[in-house]
Amino acid sequence: MSVRDLIPWGRDNGSSVPTVFRDDERSPFLSLHREVNRLFDDVFRSFDRGLPAFGALPTFNVGWPSVEIAETEKEIKVTAEVPGLEEKDVEVLLDNGVLTLRGEKRSETQDKEKQFSERFYGRFERRIPLGVEVEEDKIDARFRNGVLSIVLPKSAKAQSQVKRIAIKH
């Protein structure tokens, strides 16, 4: 017995190339079947994210409005994009250390001939746990060009709790 007999792809006089697929997986139909299954899995997996369905007026998903959060030793800044809304359409609440942004975006028209829309309409609510104590009477919220900016000054107690830890070699 030669060493060549021990190599699986060397038994047929070297005419085939090694492959990671079994013979039944080389079929283009099976490959297409696998890809379609993957596509359906991806689509159905996205339903728990609250993506809109075609022809429906969905409620906004959990990640809307999009926010940016920046924290310094003295304050927390939250910026939220709420395009198409006005100041009267948005409500900002602070309760037990959780900042809540809520509101509703309504359609400007009731166009019954509209067959497809990627615009979002409906109620939204976004809760942001702050994790630190803030001075509630000094919170500043501003709305300009569809951008809501909120500055939450940290309390003196929260500022004093910040402790730097030395990193050793």
Side-chain angles (χ1 to χ4, degrees):
M1 176 187 325
S2 73
V3 174
R4 185 177 195 97
D5 292 333
L6 297 175
I7 302 172
W9 60 86
R11 292 185 187 140
D12 59 353
N13 299 329
S15 62
S16 67
V17 179
T19 178
V20 293
F21 297 111
R22 296 187 314 250
D23 288 338
D24 60 334
E25 291 180 332
R26 291 183 188 171
S27 166
F29 295 109
L30 287 174
S31 179
L32 175 64
H33 184 281
R34 220 177 1 265
E35 287 299 312
V36 169
N37 282 342
R38 186 187 57 76
L39 176 67
F40 275 100
D41 288 344
D42 290 347
V43 167
F44 288 118
R45 191 175 307 117
S46 68
F47 280 139
D48 63 314
R49 291 187 220 137
L51 294 177
F54 179 77
L57 295 179
T59 304
F60 286 104
N61 64 358
V62 173
W64 201 90
S66 299
V67 296
E68 286 182 345
I69 301 172
E71 182 175 9
T72 65
E73 290 181 14
K74 296 184 178 188
E75 65 189 13
I76 299 172
K77 292 181 183 179
V78 177
T79 307
E81 290 183 343
V82 285
L85 294 180
E86 296 178 19
E87 189 175 335
K88 64 180 175 57
D89 299 324
V90 180
E91 184 178 19
V92 180
L93 305 167
L94 180 66
D95 185 31
N96 290 330
V98 177
L99 181 70
T100 303
L101 311 175
R102 77 167 63 135
E104 183 174 4
K105 184 175 179 185
R106 295 178 181 90
S107 176
E108 297 93 24
T109 62
Q110 293 295 329
D111 187 5
K112 296 189 191 265
E113 294 179 11
K114 178 175 27 178
Q115 295 185 5
F116 179 74
S117 176
E118 289 184 344
R119 298 179 68 190
F120 293 115
Y121 300 104
R123 296 178 190 264
F124 65 89
E125 183 170 302
R126 183 83 188 256
R127 294 175 181 257
I128 304 166
L130 300 176
V132 296
E133 190 177 306
V134 296
E135 295 185 31
E136 295 179 14
D137 56 333
K138 294 184 179 178
I139 296 174
D140 182 39
R142 299 179 187 266
F143 191 91
R144 185 168 180 219
N145 295 333
V147 178
L148 175 65
S149 301
I150 306 162
V151 178
L152 303 120
K154 292 182 180 179
S155 68
K157 180 182 172 185
Q159 290 180 33
S160 68
Q161 290 177 344
V162 176
K163 180 181 177 186
R164 295 215 184 263
I165 300 171
I167 301 173
K168 300 176 184 175
H169 294 281

